[in-house]
Amino acid sequence: KFGVFPFQSSCDKDVTLNILSVLTDLLSLGTGRRIHYVISKGGSETLLQALAAAARTDPPDHSILLPLLRLLARVGQRDRKFGLKVQKAEATDIILSLARRNLGHHLHLTHCLWVLRVCASNVTTGTTLGINGAMELLFKVITPYSKRHVRTVRAAIEALAALLKSKPNSRRAVNRGYLGGLLRLYQDWHHNGVSNNYIYIRRGLLLCLKHITNVQLGRETFLGSRGMEILFTSVQDCLSCKNLDPIVTTVIQILRKCYPKESLPVVTVRSSYFFPLPENAKAESPCEGSEGKWLKGEFTDYESDGEEEAEKDLDNEDVESKEEDYDLETDVNKLRSRPMLDRPEEELGQYEAMCPELSHNFQELESESEEDKSLEDRTENLCSTHFHFIPSATSVKHPNYRWRNQSVTEMGPDPEEKDFKVPLQSWTKKEKCRWDLIDEKRNIVEAVQDADPCEEEDPARSHMLTLRPLPKEAAWYKKMFYPECEASINPSPGGRLESSDTVRNLLEKHQGDTSFQSSCFYVARAKCVKSIPDYKDLGFPDFWGHQPPPYSKPMLERKYGVQRDKVLDDVRRLIQPSDVIGRTVFDLDEPSHSSPGAPGCLTFFSKFESGNLRKAIQVREFEYDLITNADINSNQHHQWFYFEVRDMKSAVPYRFNIINCEKFNSQFNYGMQPVMYSVKEALQGRPHWLRAGHDICYYKNHYHCSAAAGGGIRGKCYYTLTFSIKFPHKDDVCYLAYHYPYTYSTMMSHLDMLEQNRNPRKVYWRQQTLCQTLGGNPCPLLTITAMPDSKKREDLEQFYNRPYVFLMARVHPGESNASWVMKGTLEFLVSSDPIADLLRKCFIFKIVPMLNPDGVINGNHRCSLSGDDLNRQWLTPNSQLHPTIYHAKGLLYYLRSIGRAPLVFCDYHGHSQKKNVFLYGCSIKETLWQAGCVVDTAVITEDVGYRTLPKILDKVAPAFVMNSCSFLVEKSRESTARVVVWKEMGVLRSYTMESTYCGCSHGLYKVSKSFK
């Protein structure tokens, strides 16, 4: 304050020099607070006025100009409006004039260039400088190549880089041929910088190229000038030296940006499968999620997973993306609970049948023998016909869409009938499935026939499932399956044995090895499944089951420089195309165009339940590009993958690139690995899904969605997940997946086993069908609680008055971790654990273990067959397009209407960008506070009980993290289950529970190491 104002009016040179000296000393020490203080007092304007005055003297007094220029450069770096102030003071011409006059005096020129660089940081000012000839001046300074006056050259290059941030300047530079000059200059500095003394100059030149290539003309000229080859070749010399990382990083950025954009090598980005929607449902114009907008050309950033946000800082997984204030709901009236119905009240009566526990008289406590009760319990939950409401959409006939074993009870009425209702108990014991639950060693064919309620009278129409060919290495195969009669083996020409023979031999040889599940149960359940591709094959891991690995595996420590190495490998394809094989070895769309089984290449397959792989292209001998299928009736949501691969060599690293991922970032960058299942390992007694792969990274690639492929959408970019795997055996059959698979048939067979193994005297278990899905598959609804102690009035009253807890999972098919959490929940609730027993005695659990069976069955990642994200349909679900949501909401409405709204509602999800387990809840006050609204606590009252359950979990669950929980209500989430149940049902404790795909970053389960 005392230095700036006298400086304005001082005419004495000594006084001016003293003031400049004092200011220099003050601003050279301490933090930036002093500079900001000077700026706030008009310091920038004062210094610019002094510069103008000093420049007018003839000749200029450099004893004043030099310290003045140093101060301007220092202050200008911290002053965000410095460029505008320079223009206002009309100082741009002064600075350029000083620079031109001092071209032969490098010390003075360097000071002028420092100020020029700061001025150019403002794009508008930079454009003005470019028009006035600043770039031409700078090119005179930096060319030709010379090691003399390096300090001046560096200042000129940095000033040029600042000028080129302006797109008009970049275009001007390209038109005047400066881009080629910059490339030649970079080569000179690179070739002569043997001792790495000129890193800043080389990086400055790269920054110039980076800014020029921000414009289309710059990228085209860069490619035409062989810029890709020049930078690719030069960067090879820098990879081994960490000191050159700034150069390598900038080169990689330029190469990735300038790599010519390509469309995905598919006919269309829409799914390979199509499901015809009911015509009358289309006319209802259901609530559209982000998927509908994407298909219509109104694409905005879509939700990525559960309720997660895309992380802005892709280099740091711990940086949370801040809640955008505009997305927070600030209308108090919309935040308040609003009990309301979205359907006629008389419709709620149908849901009374889904609450048999409220009217059960428990006669079996006295009269029913344990054997009869066990039989009834076991048979009630198999593929029966007790659907409460079957939408007519399930009866749609289409030439490309035929179900096997169709019947009226399975598929619904004639398509002309709108609704078809079947009484809950309209089936008799003669229609029940018969299970021999004791002798699991019986012939698999007999088991399937006994257990299959979907079997038709006409054997020609039976839904036959086959097992994929097993490893066919002759000696190993004979030893494993036919040790007594090796000579009798004569596999069919295609390598496939009859399913019944293969499975019978498998089960006879390994009677005790399928511990995770009963393979008999699984096959019987899988035969009932209806899929769009009409699956004929079983995935071996799902049929055989698996056991947990015998050890805990730490998260993968990321190898230094792995991502840049992968990107450079991709660039090498462009520069050295002769190395690329480019052979399609698997293609769902055009099987005749693929070359499966070609010598020296892997064989891929994905047409089994939950499988997802659309295309595989062999790039090099041990490298493959893979493309996943979009969700059915959609052209997006590429994340989930699950496929079979065979014919591999052992101990050879195969690289797989999944090239059409969509998320901005992934836990694959922070220690996550894909999972692998080896059939040979399983048949040798080690049936494990294991985390596998090395050199894993996730990055943006050069593919984009063209307008033709995307139905009018342009500019959508894709990301690559790349990983390398060494297979444990030669000619094995292995399965690779995004996460541990959990299929619909696995869930149904698991429910069979849970019911079989429970204690019927202690555990009340009822499995019903919530509804039939759009694809014709039953969506199970479970009721679990404790049996009353007796038929005494007080015991029955205690039973009937237990509060409800409503749980559901797997609304997003790709979130298989949600099903594993649900599996653990169910196993615990029916167990003999004292806490489980106490929970059963205190609550009635209503559970929908899989809310989107069709999506899970058909290998979708996020949507149902309608192409909608079901967790965005809760406001106004369509009874035909979204039947599971419609009826789950109807059941919740019914419970509320009889005064039994759930005490807790929780929707299980998976999260792909965060670690640990956490909850999202709903709070009016926390939402308003976060949005910066004034909250009148006298008017807005709120029960803080919504925090009770998260706090308890934080204390007792090692994987749970309270700090990751959020209780904000966003506008973009208003149609999710969590928010709708909170608002419309008045459930205070309404949650989304997110579980990581990766691992834990703290506590008991923390097994990670720091990343380099």
Side-chain angles (χ1 to χ4, degrees):
K1 183 175 181 181
F2 296 105
V4 174
F5 293 112
F7 181 64
Q8 286 179 291
S9 57
S10 173
C11 295
D12 186 272
K13 177 179 178 180
D14 293 333
V15 173
T16 301
L17 289 173
N18 286 334
I19 293 173
L20 290 173
S21 177
V22 170
L23 285 174
T24 301
D25 292 340
L26 284 172
L27 301 185
S28 298
L29 303 173
T31 64
R33 292 180 60 186
R34 294 180 180 180
I35 296 178
H36 286 297
Y37 184 79
V38 169
I39 293 170
S40 69
K41 296 302 180 181
S44 299
E45 294 89 335
T46 303
L47 292 172
L48 287 169
Q49 291 171 13
L51 176 67
R56 282 196 296 266
T57 62
D58 191 18
D61 190 344
H62 288 98
S63 63
I64 293 178
L65 279 176
L66 293 184
L68 192 55
L69 289 169
R70 281 197 296 269
L71 278 173
L72 277 169
R74 189 182 299 276
V75 172
Q77 284 182 319
R78 300 297 181 97
D79 190 346
R80 294 182 180 179
K81 298 181 179 180
F82 186 75
L84 297 176
K85 292 175 182 178
V86 169
Q87 283 190 298
K88 187 176 180 180
E90 299 179 350
T92 52
D93 289 339
I94 295 173
I95 297 169
L96 281 175
S97 176
L98 286 172
R100 289 190 180 103
R101 276 193 268 173
N102 288 284
L103 280 175
H105 198 297
H106 292 282
L107 176 62
H108 300 165
L109 177 61
T110 303
H111 285 70
C112 295
L113 295 176
W114 289 341
V115 178
L116 191 65
R117 181 191 63 187
V118 175
C119 295
S121 61
N122 176 275
V123 175
T124 304
T125 309
T127 303
T128 302
L129 288 168
I131 293 172
N132 293 335
M135 288 192 296
E136 291 81 354
L137 171 67
L138 295 174
F139 258 84
K140 287 182 182 179
V141 178
I142 65 176
T143 56
Y145 165 77
S146 172
K147 289 187 179 180
R148 296 180 60 195
H149 311 297
V150 171
R151 191 181 185 196
T152 305
V153 172
R154 175 182 171 182
I157 290 173
E158 290 174 351
L160 181 61
L163 283 171
L164 290 172
K165 289 181 180 179
S166 161
K167 290 188 177 181
N169 285 345
S170 292
R171 295 188 188 96
R172 191 174 295 111
V174 174
N175 290 331
R176 296 185 181 183
Y178 293 160
L179 193 148
L182 287 171
L183 281 171
R184 289 189 295 273
L185 200 58
Y186 176 77
Q187 285 180 291
D188 290 336
W189 282 101
H190 172 75
H191 293 146
N192 292 282
V194 180
S195 58
N196 298 328
N197 291 330
Y198 308 112
I199 293 176
Y200 291 106
I201 290 179
R202 290 159 64 184
R203 185 169 184 271
L205 290 168
L206 289 172
L207 287 175
C208 293
L209 292 170
K210 178 182 175 182
H211 297 322
I212 285 182
T213 52
N214 282 336
V215 297
Q216 179 68 27
L217 179 62
R219 291 191 290 273
E220 292 173 355
T221 306
F222 179 82
L223 290 170
S225 303
R226 298 183 61 253
M228 296 289 285
E229 292 90 333
I230 291 171
L231 294 191
F232 177 81
T233 304
S234 66
V235 81
Q236 304 300 321
D237 303 328
C238 307
L239 297 176
S240 59
C241 180
K242 281 194 175 184
N243 292 333
L244 298 178
D245 276 359
I247 290 177
V248 175
T249 301
T250 310
V251 168
I252 295 295
Q253 291 171 347
I254 297 171
L255 292 176
R256 289 173 64 176
K257 179 168 52 177
C258 295
Y259 200 117
K261 300 300 180 187
E262 296 180 34
S263 298
L264 286 171
V266 290
V267 176
T268 172
V269 294
R270 291 188 65 86
S271 174
S272 298
Y273 304 129
F274 172 73
F275 178 83
L277 300 179
E279 290 297 330
N280 52 346
K282 293 178 185 177
E284 292 183 31
S285 298
C287 174
E288 288 187 19
S290 57
E291 292 71 29
K293 294 178 181 178
W294 168 225
L295 289 172
K296 292 183 178 182
E298 300 173 358
F299 175 72
T300 55
D301 286 345
Y302 59 92
E303 287 297 313
S304 50
D305 218 22
E307 298 194 17
E308 67 200 51
E309 295 283 353
E311 296 183 41
K312 307 296 183 187
D313 187 343
L314 303 189
D315 296 324
N316 185 356
E317 67 163 338
D318 297 322
V319 175
E320 297 289 340
S321 59
K322 297 180 180 179
E323 298 290 345
E324 298 290 350
D325 289 347
Y326 67 82
D327 192 37
L328 294 177
E329 183 58 75
T330 55
D331 187 334
V332 177
N333 292 325
K334 291 183 179 180
L335 287 171
R336 293 185 188 277
S337 177
R338 296 178 292 118
M340 55 185 294
L341 279 175
D342 64 357
R343 66 198 74 194
E345 191 171 356
E346 53 269 21
E347 277 193 21
L348 299 184
Q350 65 179 307
Y351 301 104
E352 181 181 359
M354 296 187 190
C355 300
E357 66 278 1
L358 297 180
S359 58
H360 203 294
N361 59 16
F362 293 98
Q363 293 293 334
E364 67 269 25
L365 290 176
E366 295 179 356
S367 60
E368 185 187 44
S369 71
E370 184 65 32
E371 180 178 346
D372 291 339
K373 180 181 185 318
S374 181
L375 173 63
E376 180 178 343
D377 288 340
R378 284 197 299 268
T379 55
E380 182 179 346
N381 73 335
L382 297 179
C383 294
S384 55
T385 63
H386 50 293
F387 304 125
H388 314 292
F389 177 85
I390 304 180
S392 57
T394 58
S395 302
V396 173
K397 301 295 191 295
H398 188 274
N400 297 326
Y401 179 64
R402 299 192 303 273
W403 297 133
R404 295 179 178 271
N405 307 325
Q406 288 182 340
S407 69
V408 173
T409 56
E410 293 163 11
M411 296 301 297
D414 186 84
E416 297 180 359
E417 296 182 30
K418 289 187 177 180
D419 295 335
F420 179 65
K421 296 183 180 180
V422 182
L424 182 64
Q425 302 296 342
S426 64
W427 46 281
T428 65
K429 286 192 177 183
K430 287 191 294 182
E431 296 171 310
K432 294 179 180 179
C433 309
R434 300 188 305 276
W435 285 85
D436 180 1
L437 299 171
I438 299 173
D439 184 14
E440 294 189 16
K441 300 177 183 178
R442 66 194 174 187
N443 185 279
I444 185 64
V445 178
E446 296 174 357
V448 171
Q449 289 174 347
D450 288 343
D452 186 10
C454 308
E455 195 71 39
E456 286 283 337
E457 293 287 336
D458 182 4
R461 296 187 64 193
S462 78
H463 187 166
M464 292 302 296
L465 286 171
T466 57
L467 196 62
R468 292 281 297 157
L470 296 171
K472 55 189 179 182
E473 181 183 357
W476 181 89
Y477 194 86
K478 295 175 183 178
K479 180 180 178 182
M480 181 60 66
F481 295 107
Y482 297 91
E484 293 85 11
C485 49
E486 295 183 5
S488 67
I489 299 182
N490 185 20
S492 61
R496 181 191 297 270
L497 295 175
E498 286 297 320
S499 174
S500 58
D501 295 336
T502 305
V503 175
R504 180 188 299 112
N505 284 297
L506 277 173
L507 294 181
E508 287 178 356
K509 183 71 178 179
H510 303 273
Q511 292 174 3
D513 290 345
T514 56
S515 57
F516 167 68
Q517 64 189 28
S518 166
S519 296
C520 303
F521 278 32
Y522 186 87
V523 173
R525 283 300 190 179
K527 287 185 67 178
C528 300
V529 170
K530 300 176 177 64
S531 63
I532 304 304
D534 196 16
Y535 296 131
K536 301 289 195 308
D537 295 274
L538 291 170
F540 186 89
D542 308 311
F543 157 76
W544 194 251
H546 74 276
Q547 298 169 336
Y551 53 87
S552 295
K553 184 176 181 181
M555 281 183 282
L556 183 69
E557 186 171 1
R558 181 161 168 167
K559 179 182 174 183
Y560 174 78
V562 61
Q563 179 167 308
R564 70 187 190 190
D565 293 343
K566 300 298 183 183
V567 172
L568 290 173
D569 278 346
D570 293 345
V571 174
R572 185 176 284 108
R573 299 188 197 182
L574 178 69
I575 296 173
Q576 302 170 357
S578 58
D579 294 344
V580 178
I581 298 174
R583 176 197 298 150
T584 299
V585 296
F586 176 76
D587 194 343
L588 280 182
D589 301 307
E590 300 174 296
S592 61
H593 293 179
S594 60
S595 307
C601 76
L602 298 174
T603 302
F604 295 85
F605 186 76
S606 65
K607 293 187 70 173
F608 50 84
E609 191 174 340
S610 292
N612 189 321
L613 179 66
R614 181 175 190 167
K615 192 170 185 177
I617 303 170
Q618 187 178 20
V619 179
R620 300 184 180 94
E621 183 180 4
F622 300 113
E623 181 178 357
Y624 294 82
D625 280 354
L626 309 179
I627 301 174
T628 58
N629 196 19
D631 286 1
I632 291 173
N633 281 352
S634 173
N635 58 4
Q636 58 174 329
H637 304 305
H638 306 89
Q639 178 169 318
W640 172 258
F641 60 87
Y642 180 23
F643 58 88
E644 175 194 285
V645 60
R646 59 177 65 220
D647 299 329
M648 67 283 291
K649 298 179 181 179
S650 63
V652 173
Y654 286 86
R655 178 183 171 184
F656 298 100
N657 311 304
I658 299 177
I659 62 174
N660 63 332
C661 301
E662 292 175 344
K663 290 183 179 293
F664 303 102
N665 200 9
S666 171
Q667 279 293 313
F668 283 113
N669 277 333
Y670 309 110
M672 182 174 165
Q673 296 171 274
V675 293
M676 182 180 72
Y677 186 103
S678 163
V679 172
K680 278 191 177 183
E681 288 289 303
L683 296 178
Q684 292 174 7
R686 297 180 293 275
H688 305 306
W689 277 107
L690 298 174
R691 294 284 189 184
H694 58 278
D695 291 351
I696 301 172
C697 61
Y698 186 95
Y699 56 91
K700 187 176 178 180
N701 59 36
H702 64 282
Y703 290 104
H704 74 129
C705 183
S706 66
I713 307 301
R714 291 181 55 209
K716 181 181 176 66
C717 55
Y718 292 104
Y719 295 78
T720 292
L721 164 64
T722 180
F723 56 91
S724 298
I725 284 184
K726 290 183 179 180
F727 294 103
H729 301 284
K730 179 183 177 182
D731 292 331
D732 196 357
V733 177
C734 290
Y735 291 79
L736 298 175
Y738 180 85
H739 192 67
Y740 305 100
Y742 192 99
T743 66
Y744 173 76
S745 298
T746 297
M747 178 200 67
M748 296 299 285
S749 59
H750 180 232
L751 296 183
D752 295 338
M753 295 176 69
L754 284 178
E755 185 176 19
Q756 170 198 350
N757 295 325
R758 85 188 200 285
N759 184 342
R761 291 192 177 277
K762 288 190 174 184
V763 180
Y764 178 96
W765 168 290
R766 288 295 180 270
Q767 180 175 333
Q768 301 165 276
T769 299
L770 176 69
C771 65
Q772 195 176 28
T773 67
L774 195 58
N777 295 289
C779 178
L781 169 69
L782 307 177
T783 305
I784 300 175
T785 188
M787 293 289 286
D789 293 335
S790 69
K791 284 191 61 180
K792 292 179 181 179
R793 180 177 177 180
E794 56 270 22
D795 289 334
L796 292 181
E797 284 186 358
Q798 191 275 340
F799 178 90
Y800 296 139
N801 292 325
R802 293 170 186 168
Y804 277 91
V805 173
F806 202 106
L807 308 176
M808 62 186 197
R810 207 69 183 279
V811 69
H812 293 147
E815 296 168 7
S816 60
N817 44 355
S819 279
W820 288 106
V821 176
M822 177 57 77
K823 173 182 179 288
T825 300
L826 294 174
E827 289 177 344
F828 179 75
L829 285 178
V830 301
S831 71
S832 59
D833 188 285
I835 297 177
D837 187 53
L838 180 61
L839 288 172
R840 290 194 299 266
K841 289 179 179 178
C842 292
F843 303 102
I844 298 174
F845 292 88
K846 283 287 181 187
I847 302 174
V848 184
M850 189 172 284
L851 204 56
N852 190 352
D854 292 339
V856 173
I857 290 166
N858 293 287
N860 283 6
H861 171 64
R862 192 171 183 87
C863 298
S864 65
L865 295 186
S866 66
D868 294 319
D869 179 347
L870 292 183
N871 200 35
R872 295 296 183 274
Q873 309 302 324
W874 277 79
L875 270 180
T876 55
N878 184 292
S879 61
Q880 292 184 300
L881 293 180
H882 323 120
T884 60
I885 305 301
Y886 185 84
H887 292 292
K889 188 177 182 182
L891 177 55
L892 286 162
Y893 272 142
Y894 173 74
L895 291 175
R896 194 202 68 189
S897 71
I898 62 173
R900 303 296 298 276
L903 179 68
V904 174
F905 170 87
C906 191
D907 183 13
Y908 291 14
H909 281 261
H911 206 294
S912 69
Q913 293 182 346
K914 291 184 179 179
K915 293 183 171 67
N916 310 307
V917 180
F918 49 94
L919 290 177
Y920 291 121
C922 302
S923 166
I924 297 177
K925 286 186 177 180
E926 292 195 33
T927 302
L928 295 176
W929 284 331
Q930 179 68 31
C933 300
V934 177
V935 179
D936 187 346
T937 55
V939 177
I940 302 176
T941 59
E942 185 173 47
D943 185 347
V944 296
Y946 64 87
R947 280 184 165 266
T948 303
L949 184 59
K951 286 183 177 179
I952 293 173
L953 289 172
D954 194 44
K955 298 294 184 184
V956 303
F960 193 86
V961 177
M962 183 69 184
N963 289 340
S964 295
C965 296
S966 173
F967 304 95
L968 306 180
V969 181
E970 303 93 342
K971 296 174 185 177
S972 60
R973 309 293 202 279
E974 66 176 356
S975 57
T976 60
R978 164 180 64 101
V979 177
V980 171
V981 172
W982 174 68
K983 284 185 182 179
E984 297 187 14
M985 317 298 171
V987 177
L988 176 69
R989 300 170 182 85
S990 179
Y991 304 108
T992 296
M993 182 167 71
E994 298 278 4
S995 303
T996 180
Y997 284 96
C998 183
C1000 294
S1001 59
H1002 87 301
L1004 180 64
Y1005 301 129
K1006 180 180 179 181
V1007 288
S1008 63
K1009 297 180 181 179
S1010 60
F1011 288 91
K1012 294 182 180 179

